[in-house]
Amino acid sequence: MREEEEEEEENNWFARWEEQLPSPEELMPLSQTLITPELALAFDITAAGAANGNLNPALFPQPPAPPQPAACSHPAPPLSSDFESSASAAAGSGGGDEPARTLKRPRLVWTPQLHKRFVDAVAHLGIKNAVPKTIMQLMSVDGLTRENVASHLQKYRLYLKRMQGLSTSGGGPISAADAATDQLFASAPVPHQFLTRGPAAGPEPFLPYVPTAALQHQQQITAAMQQQQHQQQYYHQRHLGHFGSSTGGFDHGFLNRGMPQPAMHQMVGPAPGAGFLQLTPPPAALSVDDLEPARREDGGERKVLTLFPDR
DNA sequence: GGAGAAATAT
DNA sequence: TATATTTCTC
């Protein structure tokens, strides 16, 4: 009886989770996104070059680069794009002759969306089999590097550890830092296996994209979020000890954090010290880019998961 | 060479 | 101060 309930819970969270999933369809190759028109001009990068990052075939009838190889063959050609000459200079490298090489890649922001992808991959691999390289490949996020994943994985493991500790010890006070971390990690349900044992990879081979049905739901959700664009966000969540607590499940009441930012990508063009890669499609932007239900169902085009939803 | 952990930088 | 990146070690 209880097991059944639990199972139901599982399905529930999983279903909800899926709904929340951005699905590759909504994502675009960050490679391309990284290069803004201005930058392209500045660096004399032609449209072909930009397209090289592989654009959404649905929008751009140019089938340049296959989205697959991005994970294996090309570690991160797009991200490495040296649009940061100015940034590097600002960094004080001291060398203006070697822009691309010495350039530090922009800070990657692990947004809930991206993190979901991450968790999804880890979940399907199984926490024990989840290694940076594999995860990275599974995520198929253009521009994502193994280092990125490794770093995040490290933090994620810490988080899982915490969760386990909390559940076992009965739940202790979490520091502000932990709370903040939880926000992100809580944005995606932690596969039961992680907290329980971690038998092995799931029987499912990890789906690249989510069904259209889920997409529609997400649109609704997005719309709802837009309406309540207030800054009321997971406030209570932080005080709640989710995971194996009273509910025994996940109480991820919130789907996304309120992102008041209209722009999703912030490049370090002329502004030194402010170079971040926004990998998360804010609700507003998401909806904009996602407002094509008919198209979706009709064509079924899917985009490659990317860090930059813009364009 | 890759993974994991720690240190450092922003 | 928190998070991501980089570096070091196994």
Side-chain angles (χ1 to χ4, degrees), chain A residues 67-75 133 136-142 144:
Chain A
Q68 270 196 347
C72 305
S73 303
H74 310 285
K133 189 180 177 182
M136 180 190 75
Q137 293 178 155
L138 213 60
M139 287 177 74
S140 295
V141 176
D142 198 6
L144 233 198

Side-chain angles (χ1 to χ4, degrees), chain A residues 153-168:
Chain A
L153 180 62
Q154 179 182 11
K155 209 166 64 173
Y156 187 57
R157 279 173 173 154
L158 252 47
Y159 168 75
L160 292 179
K161 214 171 177 179
R162 278 216 165 75
M163 291 333 261
Q164 288 185 355
L166 283 176
S167 56
T168 55

Side-chain angles (χ1 to χ4, degrees), chain A residues 213-231:
Chain A
L215 199 74
Q216 292 178 359
H217 286 180
Q218 198 197 339
Q219 287 172 4
Q220 293 178 5
I221 294 170
T222 304
M225 290 200 299
Q226 283 189 335
Q227 288 180 23
Q228 57 163 17
Q229 221 176 32
H230 315 308
Q231 297 188 343

Side-chain angles (χ1 to χ4, degrees), chain A residues 203-217:
Chain A
E204 294 175 45
F206 177 74
L207 302 177
Y209 10 76
V210 299
T212 13
L215 199 74
Q216 292 178 359
H217 286 180

Side-chain angles (χ1 to χ4, degrees), chain A residues 22 26 113 218 222 256 264 281-291:
Chain A
E26 309 164 342
Q113 301 290 358
Q218 198 197 339
T222 304
N256 290 298
M264 32 192 114
L286 210 175
S287 62
V288 172
D289 184 44
D290 197 32
L291 282 180

Side-chain angles (χ1 to χ4, degrees), chain A residues 233-281:
Chain A
Q233 53 198 25
Y234 52 85
Y235 182 77
H236 52 286
Q237 192 72 21
R238 327 174 57 156
H239 300 275
L240 293 178
H242 32 273
F243 298 118
S245 290
S246 51
T247 58
F250 313 86
D251 345 38
H252 306 85
F254 62 100
L255 306 178
N256 290 298
R257 322 140 77 156
M259 292 187 128
Q261 304 180 1
M264 32 192 114
H265 69 291
Q266 297 188 345
M267 272 169 219
V268 187
F276 292 82
L277 289 184
Q278 253 305 356
L279 317 170
T280 284

